[in-house]
Amino acid sequence: MGHKIFVSYKYADDNVKNLKLFENSTVRDYVDELENKIDNSNHIFKGESDGEDLSNLSEDAIWEKLKDRIYDSTLTIVFISPNMKEDGLEDREQWIPWEISYSLRETKRKNEAGQEITSKTNAMMAVVLPDSNNSYNYYLEDHTCCFSFCRTHYTGKLFKIIRENKFNIKESTQVDCQNNSSKKIYSGECSYIKAVKWDDFINNIDKYIDEAYERQDNIDNYNICKEV
C-alpha cells in the first residue's frame, strides 16, 4: 500500500555532495532524486515540485499550501544538511521547524460533508545528506571503539523540535561503551525521528519507511515534542 510523503528541507543548501559529475548540487536535487523514486512506486509525493512557482504568493499563502499538503500526508521526511539552519534567525522564523510541528500535531478539519476529521501525528524520519566532502561526520559520526560500533549524533546542529524528538523513548535500553564507560549507547528504536544516512535510505527506501510507520504505531512509547 502506498503512503503520502511530505519532505521538509532547506532548498538552496549547496554544501552537499554533487549527485552528478561537473554539476553543483543543492538539497533540492536530492529531493528530485527521491521524488523520481517515489513516482516509480506506490507512494505519493506531497511536497512541492521543483518547477512550481511560489514567487507571487505571500508567506501566509505559501504556508496555507504547505499545511494542506502536510495535513493530507501520513509520513514526513526531513532532510538534514550542513546548512539547514539559517544563521541569525530563530527557529520560529524558519520553515522547517513549523513543517515538523504541523506534521506532529493532530489537526481537526471538516471534510466536504461537513464532518470534523482529525489527522493523526505523521510517521517521521530524518535523512542525513552527505556534505560536499562526501562525509556525514558533521551530524553522524561512526566509531569503532567497541563491539557496539558507537555512533555519535551531533544533535546541537538540529532545530530544537527535531532535537527534542531524538532519543525520546520513555523507557530506553542503554549499554556502556566498551572503552569509555561514561559514554552511553542506545539500542533499538530510541528516537521517534530516527536518522539514517542518504546512501542507506535511497537504496532501501521501503525498509526505512516501514520502520517509521512501526514507530508511529508505537507512538505512546515516546515523549513527543510538537511545539517550535
Side-chain angles (χ1 to χ4, degrees), residues 115-169:
Q115 299 169 319
E116 194 170 71
I117 305 296
T118 302
S119 67
K120 291 176 61 176
T121 294
N122 272 16
M124 303 286 302
M125 65 175 297
V127 176
V128 185
L129 304 185
D131 67 16
S132 55
N133 295 315
N134 194 23
S135 173
Y136 294 95
N137 286 355
Y138 70 92
Y139 177 71
L140 280 178
E141 185 174 6
D142 293 321
H143 308 285
T144 57
C145 54
C146 67
F147 67 90
S148 296
F149 298 103
C150 306
R151 170 176 282 182
T152 299
H153 293 243
Y154 295 106
T155 57
K157 297 182 178 295
L158 302 176
F159 291 106
K160 180 178 181 293
I161 191 169
I162 303 175
R163 188 167 64 246
E164 293 293 321
N165 287 293
K166 298 289 297 176
F167 306 106
N168 61 329
I169 194 163

